[in-house]
Amino acid sequence: MAVGKENVEVVEITKPRTDTRDYKRIVLPNSLQVLLISDPDTDKCAASMNVGVGSFSDPEGLEGLAHFLEHMLFYASEKYPLEDSYSTYISEHGGRTNAYTSSEHTNYYFDVNADCFEEALDRFAQFFIKPLMSSDATTREIKAVDSENQKNLLSDAWRINQLQKHLSEEGHPYHKFSTGNWDTLEVKPKARGVDTRDELLKFYKENYSANLMNLVIYSKESLDKIENRVLSKFQEIRNIDRIHPSFPGQPCTPEHLQVIVKTVPVKRGHKLRITWPMTPGIHHYMEGPSRYLGHLIGHEGEGSLFYVLKKLGWATSLSAGESDWTMEFSFFKVVIELTDAGHENAELIIGLLFKYITLLQQSGVCKWIFDELSAICEMTFHYQDKIPPIDYVVKISSNMQLYPSKDWLVGSSLPSTFSPEVIQSALNELTPNNVRIFWESTNFDGHTELTEPWYGTAFSVEKITASTIQEWMKKAPEEDLHLPCPNVFIPTDLSIKNVKEKVNIPVLLRKSQYSRLWYKPDTTFSTPKAYVKLDFYCPFAGSSPEANVLTDISTRLLMDYLNEYAYDAQVAGLYYAISHTDDGFQVTLTGYSHKLEILLDTVIAKITTFEVKSDRFYVIKELVMKEYENYKFQQPYQQAMYHCSLLVKDRSWPWTDELEVLSVLEPEHLSRFYPQILSRIFIECYAAGNIESIEAELMIQHVEDVLFMGTKPLSQALFPSQHLTNRVVNLEKGVTYCYSKEGLNPSDENSALLHYIQVHQDDFKLNIKLQLVALIAKQPAFHQLRSVEQLGYITVLMQRNDSGIRGVQFIIQSTVKGPKHIESRVQAFLKMFETKLYEMPDDEFKSNVNALIEVKLEKHKNLREESSYFWREIQDGTLKFDRKDHEVAALKQLSKAEMIQFFDEHIKAGAPQKKALSVQVFSTTHATEDTGDAGEGKIVNIEDAFSFRRSRPLYGSFKGGIGHMKL
């Protein structure tokens, strides 16, 4: 059927050269604009609906209504009236669903196993045709919106964002509070005699019109089939020809410019955010002015602003670019993380920033820089990795509101028109007359006189003049600021290597007493990219809290020393990281393969010639100190996860011990300790992608030569006795352990529960039973504990895997109830779920089994995803690279009776074999909570985490070193 084809101009959509998918734009008779994507190779199908209305359209006095509506559409529809049946259907068929509300649009999306896409799509379409929005659900979901807001109240990112909005024109929608809470959606409307549900229905009716919507469908089927399906399911969406909401005018008038705002963050530290209102870059997206300016102001190579600030010991990170933009207004932001010394010299830092901007003004717009940037962007676009369909559809549907159809896939990512005038014009907006400076520091505590109303952020505002900034520029140190040099890391060889052996799983290519190399050539993605990981297992590195901290500082210093050199590599799409692990450190390189070896050689050279530079040591030490001290401001559910790991993972150190040793560490401690880290090591290596086996072998041979050979080798092989690692506590059967701790931040009213059920050590048959129970229970747990009982916005049931030890965990955070009450509700849910499982019809059981099989058979989207999957097997020591085949085979044999027997033995409330750990973090508001029912069977309270850990046996480690013994 020709779907309104007469009025649809056929446009060639620009797509990557390597992209084999088919695309087609159609417009339905109701004016709904749709992009169809056909990908016969996909396992998951996905859809995203972008509605061109967001929180800017909230009615006066009903802040958060657009966001609240986004929540409500998930509940039920006239065609599917059973509450939560949409989310349940998606979850039971291997999919995910979510939504978000921004200032000018709201985006709803999901993915699902391919064979269930048609029904999922039908349920999704009903959001926009006839949602129910019952009054009972309305009241409950206002609590969920309030819980979401409670979670954000102590988040510095949310607080500073709202402060920036607060200091803007009151009549402009940018000024509003957008998420909503109990006060704005329940208390205040009720006091005025306003019915929130009536307003909700009215808002939906007046704003959700097909002509304001853009839909993306990603499917296995042919374009014609998808087209017919979309027409049948989405043509009923009403079209009231609603004019696109527009919000002309600028959020910042002269009174909001030329200001310095001092504000007190929650977390310890200092930060400068320098922002300028500017012409939205989207009006010149082919010329890319803000990309050009962001590239130069945010550069980290020699001569850059960050290079100078780092050398002075004043900053630890800097980023620059456009943010918070709409078609009408935009901000260019420079964000600088300051050291204590940087905070003392903040005015001079602002002076240096303006000096660099002046340098850009005087240098003029450089064609070679634009051309280099344009070439990198083009390479990135044409060789982009495939990403999960759910992420792809969201990205495109939001682009559809902003760009002409030929650029829906491209967006602003391909600047190709060199226009010095446009770039110069954007640069001219970054003036002292136009600036807003937000200066955050805990040092301002007690020195501010104003409070932002929604989050309670303390701040003060001072006007500054252009001449003040001129003074700061004059006083700023004389440093050699200059433009970057040409980027030597841009790959010129993008050819694909010939792979002789087509292997589907990693092979052990090389083994010695020093290292083991796993190799997996690219047989799937055909991209000129590689992935290389070297895991340095150093027994001394994690042997004590002090050793752990020193190893961490050394990896950060290595990254710090390499930054100027390797920054260009990252700009050119070759990423590297040196990261601290429980047993040493890892080097990871991923990106274009052409110059990867050059970067690896440099990284290894830096590791082997490492020296402690005192000035940088103190900067990194200060940074790490702040991270530890800010631990207390983590969300309570994150604190619960930390306590759980501390209880079950052998050889993990408490952050309080590490903070204590950190405070007295000096450069000489690291100078003495670093040679010890490297004195005995074993390197587990993985090389994958566009790399030949001989290259991989030579790479590792080179690393061995540098470390272990020569007259005075830095390193020696491990003794066989040193190989053992990854030990996890084996909980006792028939016992529920309870560990209760007060939340670390007295101002946080949230409490949290982590209820962990430990089941077994990696075993194909047991794994699939556990995974199936988790798949079936996930959505009912969310619906009952979050939607019905409204315990809290963060409510998840998920699997847990500690080095091959498998289990499930409930994680719930709440302001309304304490952890003991939540624990009793988890027990009640398990009893309720037991009935559901026992009464499950055979066809529903079969359908869940098939859903899990499809999830397992899902192909990796890109090299990074595939490599992470195989690396997990290497890291855990399980080495079951063909795990999916074995688990699918086991699933096909599984009966419902076996699954129920597994549930009865290991998971159900009061199960005799059950091993449970209840970690409870309580806020001061819940400190006096009644002890309710803490669980079934034998309850054991843990008084001391380490006595507990020492008292329990450990599971054998899968990781046994060269001989690969399993204990």
Side-chain angles (χ1 to χ4, degrees):
M1 183 174 184
V3 186
K5 279 185 181 158
E6 322 65 54
N7 58 9
V8 179
E9 163 196 2
V10 177
V11 176
E12 186 71 27
I13 293 170
T14 306
K15 69 176 194 175
R17 283 194 286 272
T18 50
D19 189 350
T20 56
R21 296 169 284 207
D22 290 323
Y23 298 84
K24 184 179 184 182
R25 171 192 177 231
I26 61 171
V27 179
L28 303 195
N30 59 356
S31 297
L32 174 69
Q33 187 164 226
V34 189
L35 179 67
L36 313 172
I37 306 174
S38 168
D39 179 3
D41 295 328
T42 192
D43 305 294
K44 283 272 200 288
C45 295
S48 168
M49 178 74 90
N50 192 76
V51 184
V53 62
S55 55
F56 276 9
S57 300
D58 284 345
E60 203 56 51
L62 277 163
E63 292 87 356
L65 193 68
H67 175 224
F68 177 44
L69 172 60
E70 170 230 297
H71 276 237
M72 285 303 299
L73 292 191
F74 281 81
Y75 267 85
S77 62
E78 208 169 275
K79 185 170 179 182
Y80 299 100
L82 181 65
E83 195 175 286
D84 201 49
S85 64
Y86 161 76
S87 299
T88 301
Y89 184 85
I90 299 289
S91 176
E92 287 180 351
H93 294 92
R96 294 176 293 157
T97 178
N98 214 330
Y100 67 87
T101 305
S102 69
S103 53
E104 294 191 310
H105 66 252
T106 309
N107 201 302
Y108 302 85
Y109 52 93
F110 76 90
D111 69 359
V112 75
N113 290 341
D115 59 346
C116 314
F117 189 44
E118 182 164 11
E119 185 176 334
L121 205 55
D122 194 54
R123 290 169 178 273
F124 182 66
Q126 298 305 310
F127 279 33
F128 313 102
I129 297 170
K130 283 192 175 165
L132 282 181
M133 299 194 270
S134 70
S135 49
D136 171 47
T138 304
T139 311
R140 277 188 278 127
E141 203 54 29
I142 291 174
K143 289 178 182 166
V145 169
D146 185 63
S147 175
E148 184 176 353
N149 180 60
Q150 291 277 352
K151 168 183 77 69
N152 301 335
L153 288 178
L154 295 174
S155 155
D156 284 323
W158 282 94
R159 291 164 73 90
I160 194 72
N161 182 45
Q162 192 61 45
L163 180 60
Q164 289 174 331
K165 294 164 83 161
H166 178 66
L167 296 173
S168 68
E169 187 60 25
E170 276 188 38
H172 195 284
Y174 176 75
H175 181 81
K176 290 180 181 177
F177 168 60
S178 58
T179 50
N181 60 24
W182 184 251
D183 215 29
T184 67
L185 295 169
E186 176 68 16
V187 180
K188 286 180 177 167
K190 204 170 250 179
R192 298 196 310 270
V194 171
D195 185 309
T196 301
R197 183 169 176 264
D198 289 348
E199 292 296 325
L200 187 73
L201 297 170
K202 182 179 163 198
F203 187 86
Y204 180 83
K205 195 174 165 192
E206 289 177 359
N207 290 291
Y208 273 49
S209 171
N211 73 305
L212 291 189
M213 298 182 185
N214 291 297
L215 175 68
V216 180
I217 303 287
Y218 193 112
S219 173
K220 253 181 131 65
E221 297 177 325
S222 69
L223 290 172
D224 289 344
K225 268 194 179 162
I226 313 173
E227 187 168 339
N228 289 329
R229 190 160 284 180
V230 167
L231 179 65
S232 68
K233 295 190 188 315
F234 290 89
Q235 63 180 351
E236 285 179 60
I237 298 176
R238 283 179 325 131
N239 177 22
I240 54 169
D241 274 326
R242 169 91 157 83
I243 294 165
H244 261 280
S246 70
F247 306 93
Q250 290 301 309
C252 294
T253 62
E255 75 167 288
H256 307 113
L257 302 174
Q258 288 188 281
V259 290
I260 188 157
V261 181
K262 292 177 179 171
T263 171
V264 183
V266 172
K267 290 188 170 179
R268 194 187 148 208
H270 327 281
K271 194 177 275 190
L272 274 174
R273 295 172 197 265
I274 300 113
T275 86
W276 295 264
M278 74 182 302
T279 307
I282 189 162
H283 297 306
H284 301 288
Y285 69 93
M286 298 302 285
E287 293 88 359
S290 23
R291 187 180 284 267
Y292 179 93
L293 296 179
H295 170 65
L296 292 176
I297 297 171
H299 208 281
E300 297 182 17
E302 207 173 314
S304 67
L305 174 64
F306 179 66
Y307 176 81
V308 164
L309 294 177
K310 191 180 136 180
K311 202 167 82 174
L312 292 164
W314 290 356
T316 53
S317 78
L318 184 151
S319 62
E322 192 178 6
S323 66
D324 284 348
W325 59 271
T326 70
M327 296 300 269
E328 301 288 338
F329 71 86
S330 176
F331 292 98
F332 189 89
K333 288 190 182 174
V334 178
V335 181
I336 309 172
E337 295 262 5
L338 307 177
T339 59
D340 291 346
H343 173 69
E344 296 303 318
N345 290 286
E347 292 172 352
L348 303 185
I349 291 174
I350 297 163
L352 277 167
L353 167 61
F354 276 100
K355 265 181 141 173
Y356 192 76
I357 291 168
T358 307
L359 166 75
L360 296 183
Q361 296 269 16
Q362 290 164 352
S363 308
V365 179
C366 298
K367 186 169 190 305
W368 76 264
I369 292 177
F370 180 85
D371 289 346
E372 187 178 89
L373 203 52
S374 176
I376 291 169
C377 289
E378 188 171 344
M379 183 176 67
T380 304
F381 177 71
H382 287 296
Y383 292 100
Q384 64 183 271
D385 289 339
K386 237 184 179 182
I387 59 174
I390 191 168
D391 301 327
Y392 198 55
V393 293
V394 170
K395 183 178 127 186
I396 297 169
S397 65
S398 32
N399 276 353
M400 287 167 76
Q401 190 174 319
L402 304 163
Y403 299 93
S405 49
K406 76 177 178 61
D407 290 330
W408 282 348
L409 311 186
V410 171
S412 298
S413 68
L414 270 186
S416 54
T417 307
F418 179 60
S419 170
E421 302 74 33
V422 168
I423 294 172
Q424 193 63 50
S425 164
L427 184 54
N428 292 342
E429 293 184 274
L430 309 186
T431 68
N433 298 327
N434 205 21
V435 76
R436 286 154 59 89
I437 298 165
F438 290 82
W439 183 3
E440 295 166 54
S441 174
T442 30
N443 292 13
F444 295 139
D445 197 6
H447 302 283
T448 58
E449 64 280 356
L450 300 168
T451 306
E452 188 281 315
W454 296 107
Y455 290 82
T457 308
F459 71 100
S460 62
V461 184
E462 299 163 35
K463 285 297 263 185
I464 48 167
T465 61
S467 58
T468 309
I469 289 176
Q470 297 290 346
E471 280 302 305
W472 294 345
M473 286 169 73
K474 277 192 199 126
K475 285 183 192 160
E478 283 303 318
E479 294 289 337
D480 182 21
L481 290 165
H482 59 80
L483 295 179
C485 300
N487 189 335
V488 295
F489 275 103
I490 298 174
T492 49
D493 178 2
L494 295 167
S495 59
I496 308 293
K497 308 269 170 75
N498 274 328
V499 180
K500 294 174 188 68
E501 293 170 39
K502 296 274 187 274
V503 290
N504 294 323
I505 59 173
V507 293
L508 183 56
L509 194 60
R510 182 180 184 281
K511 189 164 116 179
S512 75
Q513 61 177 325
Y514 309 116
S515 74
R516 188 164 49 175
L517 168 62
W518 299 93
Y519 171 66
K520 166 71 178 66
D522 178 9
T523 53
T524 314
F525 310 110
S526 298
T527 63
K529 297 178 181 179
Y531 183 102
V532 172
K533 198 181 265 286
L534 281 72
D535 188 15
F536 289 76
Y537 177 54
C538 322
F540 291 111
S543 57
S544 67
E546 189 174 34
N548 212 37
V549 172
L550 285 167
T551 307
D552 183 22
I553 291 177
S554 67
T555 60
R556 292 172 189 249
L557 279 170
L558 283 162
M559 288 286 284
D560 184 79
Y561 297 168
L562 283 159
N563 191 58
E564 290 80 57
Y565 171 80
Y567 180 75
D568 272 348
Q570 311 218 29
V571 169
L574 178 54
Y575 303 93
Y576 82 104
I578 306 171
S579 52
H580 174 218
T581 65
D582 291 344
D583 304 307
F585 62 94
Q586 277 178 6
V587 174
T588 311
L589 288 94
T590 173
Y592 296 105
S593 53
H594 179 205
K595 299 186 177 179
L596 184 143
E597 207 174 327
I598 300 168
L599 183 58
L600 178 63
D601 287 353
T602 309
V603 170
I604 297 300
K606 199 57 92 175
I607 289 170
T608 55
T609 58
F610 176 81
E611 285 176 15
V612 182
K613 298 174 186 167
S614 293
D615 58 335
R616 298 314 297 159
F617 175 88
Y618 288 119
V619 167
I620 298 296
K621 176 183 167 177
E622 183 193 311
L623 182 72
V624 178
M625 288 276 293
K626 284 175 188 160
E627 281 180 19
Y628 278 115
E629 287 167 352
N630 286 330
Y631 177 78
K632 62 173 94 58
F633 302 115
Q634 279 191 318
Q635 296 267 350
Y637 82 90
Q638 294 169 313
Q639 294 179 34
M641 289 165 75
Y642 158 80
H643 290 305
C644 186
S645 287
L646 202 59
L647 288 161
V648 300
K649 285 173 74 178
D650 187 39
R651 289 201 328 131
S652 50
W653 310 108
W655 69 275
T656 43
D657 291 4
E658 295 185 336
L659 177 60
E660 192 179 315
V661 298
L662 179 61
S663 57
V664 296
L665 289 181
E666 294 295 327
E668 54 270 23
H669 292 108
L670 183 55
S671 296
R672 279 200 303 271
F673 180 69
Y674 187 80
Q676 212 178 340
I677 300 177
L678 291 185
S679 63
R680 290 206 178 265
I681 57 176
F682 182 78
I683 313 170
E684 190 88 70
C685 315
Y686 178 75
N690 193 39
I691 192 164
E692 288 171 351
S693 56
I694 188 71
E695 287 180 281
E697 288 194 63
L698 289 170
M699 243 184 237
I700 303 313
Q701 183 63 59
H702 172 69
V703 174
E704 280 193 10
D705 289 347
V706 171
L707 283 159
F708 299 97
M709 306 302 158
T711 48
K712 284 190 179 171
L714 286 166
S715 309
Q716 289 177 284
L718 294 188
F719 292 114
S721 59
Q722 291 179 295
H723 273 284
L724 199 62
T725 178
N726 293 354
R727 305 295 300 269
V728 173
V729 164
N730 189 342
L731 300 177
E732 189 176 341
K733 289 176 181 173
V735 173
T736 297
Y737 293 97
C738 283
Y739 185 66
S740 188
K741 294 294 272 186
E742 192 174 345
L744 294 167
N745 179 7
S747 312
D748 197 331
E749 293 179 11
N750 288 286
S751 289
L753 169 80
L754 186 152
H755 181 91
Y756 167 48
I757 302 168
Q758 189 182 70
V759 182
H760 66 279
Q761 187 163 28
D762 191 40
D763 170 278
F764 294 140
K765 282 188 179 166
L766 289 170
N767 292 351
I768 54 133
K769 291 173 189 176
L770 179 71
Q771 288 158 7
L772 194 57
V773 169
L775 174 81
I776 298 168
K778 184 182 173 186
Q779 192 56 35
F782 178 83
H783 178 62
Q784 180 60 32
L785 301 170
R786 159 108 146 54
S787 304
V788 177
E789 299 187 25
Q790 285 300 328
L791 291 175
Y793 178 73
I794 293 173
T795 301
V796 287
L797 165 63
M798 62 194 289
Q799 294 175 61
R800 183 178 177 113
N801 178 3
D802 295 291
S803 306
I805 311 307
R806 309 287 183 122
V808 287
Q809 56 189 4
F810 291 83
I811 299 172
I812 300 167
Q813 181 167 296
S814 178
T815 46
V816 290
K817 296 290 179 186
K820 290 190 174 63
H821 175 86
I822 301 169
E823 173 67 50
S824 71
R825 299 317 304 152
V826 167
Q827 298 301 328
F829 167 75
L830 285 171
K831 285 177 186 152
M832 193 173 81
F833 179 68
E834 193 179 314
T835 312
K836 172 183 164 69
L837 215 53
Y838 294 169
E839 294 172 359
M840 178 180 283
D842 290 344
D843 59 339
E844 192 183 325
F845 169 75
K846 210 73 205 136
S847 162
N848 280 301
V849 168
N850 290 336
L852 185 54
I853 287 174
E854 288 195 34
V855 169
K856 290 198 167 300
L857 293 178
E858 197 178 323
K859 295 187 282 286
H860 298 296
K861 309 290 175 297
N862 53 57
L863 178 66
R864 193 186 288 230
E865 198 182 288
E866 178 191 83
S867 299
S868 300
Y869 175 81
F870 287 133
W871 178 255
R872 180 73 196 257
E873 295 288 339
I874 296 167
Q875 188 167 271
D876 288 348
T878 40
L879 300 182
K880 295 172 182 169
F881 298 124
D882 53 357
R883 171 182 301 281
K884 289 180 177 182
D885 299 340
H886 290 284
E887 291 186 349
V888 166
L891 267 169
K892 287 177 177 170
Q893 301 297 313
L894 184 69
S895 70
K896 190 172 85 177
E898 286 176 292
M899 181 188 70
I900 288 171
Q901 185 190 355
F902 169 85
F903 177 79
D904 286 351
E905 282 179 10
H906 298 285
I907 294 183
K908 85 169 189 179
Q913 302 282 310
K914 185 168 176 179
K915 304 192 289 186
L917 170 61
S918 174
V919 179
Q920 304 175 0
V921 174
F922 57 90
S923 65
T924 43
T925 26
H926 299 133
T928 54
E929 181 194 22
D930 287 341
T931 335
D933 178 14
E936 295 280 337
K938 185 181 174 189
I939 313 289
V940 173
N941 287 311
I942 299 172
E943 299 300 329
D944 175 71
F946 309 106
S947 301
F948 163 74
R949 218 164 67 182
R950 286 190 288 269
S951 72
R952 294 297 312 148
L954 302 175
Y955 278 101
S957 172
F958 280 109
K959 225 170 175 178
I962 314 170
H964 216 73
M965 297 181 315
K966 179 180 168 185
L967 297 188

